[in-house]
Amino acid sequence: MVETQPIVFFNGELKPENEVGIPIRDRGFIYGDAVFDATRTFNGRPFRMKEHLDRLYNSLLYLRIDPGMSKEEMERWSMEVVNHNYSLLPPNQDMWVMQRISRGVETIEPGEEQRPTVLIESHPIPFAKRASLYRDGLRIITPSIPRVPPRFMSPRAKTHNYLNLILGDLEAQGTDPDAWAVLLDEDGNLTEGKGSNIFLVKDGVVATPKGQFVLEGITRGVVLDLANGLGLPAEERDLDQFDAYTADEAFLTSTSLCICPISTFNGAAIGQGSLPGPVTQQLISAFSDVAGMDYVEQYLSHLA
Ligand code: PLP
């Protein structure tokens, strides 16, 4: 396909991005009745796409949506989108490739078949906007709004309903416009942010909230494996605000951020020493090795 602009896969075919519109009665739009996942590229190569697609298909099972397509087909079409769109990016850029599947357009007539809407799109990672985070660290605020409890809606599915996390961000950013929210659960334990998992390091032990209470980030899984490989004790356990205020180091993980150090928690400095701290730095280096590039350097190169 010869296209000089980004393409997407939409309901069975590849099309120029600006020729695709979502129908006004699509249930993903009117109810958030959809799931998605996002894989990032490093030098144009998707990282852990299989794990992301496994999670996507679990999210689909949770919402009982049939995408009408196997994981292998989803991967093949995703690669078509990546390979075409990466070639259009400026140098030193990378992107997310996102699969979005809604239950489809709301049916009206009795017996009308509900068909899913399947979209695969890509999006450049905002390196310039985030570059300073790798120099200065993330400022975390815990908003008063709690994370929706798992028994109401499982955080383990990655759905189009982000309002709880968005409200958390809005509240945090009302205090500090550059802060990132990490929501607490109803018992006061740390959960996650809008698009990221949190880790604390204390006395050499790396800890993160249990998988049952958060989206089990693919990056979170990689970091737990890396910690294991480096001989660092790693735990999935309840962590509260005391653990955060007394941590030696802390960081967020996400597909696009990879591992990004935290400088303050509700305004209080985390740890005493340099940023990133030694354990976080060890994990960042190990992560760069598996990603096949120095991703921190890539972010920092976008500093104004
Ligand atoms: N938590 C939430 C709510 C997310 O949306 C994400 C992003 O996907 C994460 C955590 C981090 O997961 P991952 O490392 O797979 O990007």
Side-chain angles (χ1 to χ4, degrees):
M1 159 167 223
V2 186
E3 270 298 335
T4 54
Q5 56 166 315
I7 58 165
V8 298
F9 171 90
F10 185 66
N11 289 348
E13 50 184 331
L14 294 171
K15 287 183 160 186
E17 183 179 297
N18 64 359
E19 283 178 20
V20 171
I22 301 293
I24 60 168
R25 294 201 181 84
D26 192 280
R27 290 177 59 105
F29 179 62
I30 56 182
Y31 300 129
D33 187 4
V35 303
F36 77 109
D37 220 294
T39 303
R40 79 156 274 183
T41 62
F42 291 103
N43 284 327
R45 281 187 305 278
F47 182 67
R48 306 281 163 125
M49 173 109 79
K50 282 204 166 37
E51 283 92 329
H52 282 280
L53 291 179
D54 286 344
R55 186 171 68 184
L56 176 74
Y57 276 70
N58 282 336
S59 301
L60 286 163
L61 284 174
Y62 182 63
L63 287 201
R64 282 80 104 195
I65 295 175
D66 177 2
M69 192 191 280
S70 69
K71 257 186 234 178
E72 292 67 32
E73 282 175 279
M74 193 69 78
E75 182 172 3
R76 198 163 52 75
W77 287 116
S78 300
M79 287 310 300
E80 294 268 353
V81 171
V82 167
N83 290 336
H84 179 82
N85 293 352
Y86 183 71
S87 68
L88 303 177
L89 288 182
N92 201 22
Q93 265 291 345
D94 270 292
M95 61 195 187
W96 285 286
V97 57
M98 302 186 180
Q99 302 83 12
R100 299 184 180 277
I101 299 113
S102 83
R103 202 176 305 277
V105 175
E106 182 82 317
T107 55
I108 297 172
E109 300 302 331
E112 206 180 322
E113 193 191 343
Q114 182 76 65
R115 282 206 209 97
T117 299
V118 182
L119 174 71
I120 306 174
E121 44 128 351
S122 74
H123 198 75
I125 293 172
F127 287 108
K129 213 164 128 188
R130 294 180 172 182
S132 62
L133 301 175
Y134 294 84
R135 184 192 56 199
D136 306 332
L138 289 150
R139 300 203 291 273
I140 300 298
I141 287 183
T142 52
S144 67
I145 185 169
R147 185 82 179 102
V148 171
R151 70 185 190 284
F152 293 1
M153 189 166 61
S154 177
R156 297 163 79 183
K158 196 166 164 71
T159 75
H160 269 208
N161 191 325
Y162 265 57
L163 285 179
N164 175 231
L165 296 160
I166 288 171
L167 288 172
D169 259 1
L170 287 173
E171 190 182 323
Q173 287 158 8
T175 307
D176 172 352
D178 295 324
W180 291 49
V182 169
L183 277 64
L184 303 174
D185 66 16
E186 289 181 300
D187 297 321
N189 293 310
L190 301 176
T191 64
E192 60 191 331
K194 184 178 120 297
S196 57
N197 293 113
I198 186 164
F199 280 76
L200 304 178
V201 181
K202 180 74 173 173
D203 299 330
V205 180
V206 178
T208 193
K210 287 182 197 153
Q212 190 188 349
F213 301 112
V214 292
L215 184 79
E216 291 171 288
I218 305 305
T219 323
R220 174 184 177 278
V222 171
V223 166
L224 289 171
D225 287 347
L226 290 175
N228 236 328
L230 291 166
L232 298 165
E235 295 176 346
E236 295 175 68
R237 66 179 178 89
D238 288 343
L239 296 166
D240 63 14
Q241 298 209 61
F242 180 87
D243 294 308
Y245 286 116
T246 58
D248 299 327
E249 304 173 36
F251 55 87
L252 290 188
T253 62
S254 86
T255 290
S256 53
L257 290 174
C258 309
I259 300 169
C260 188
I262 293 173
S263 55
T264 63
F265 185 82
N266 290 333
I270 297 266
Q272 314 281 327
S274 58
L275 194 85
V279 171
T280 309
Q281 184 54 58
Q282 241 186 309
L283 290 164
I284 287 176
S285 303
F287 193 96
S288 289
D289 287 346
V290 291
M293 69 180 287
D294 186 338
Y295 74 88
V296 174
E297 190 46 47
Q298 184 184 32
Y299 268 105
L300 291 175
S301 71
H302 288 266
L303 277 173

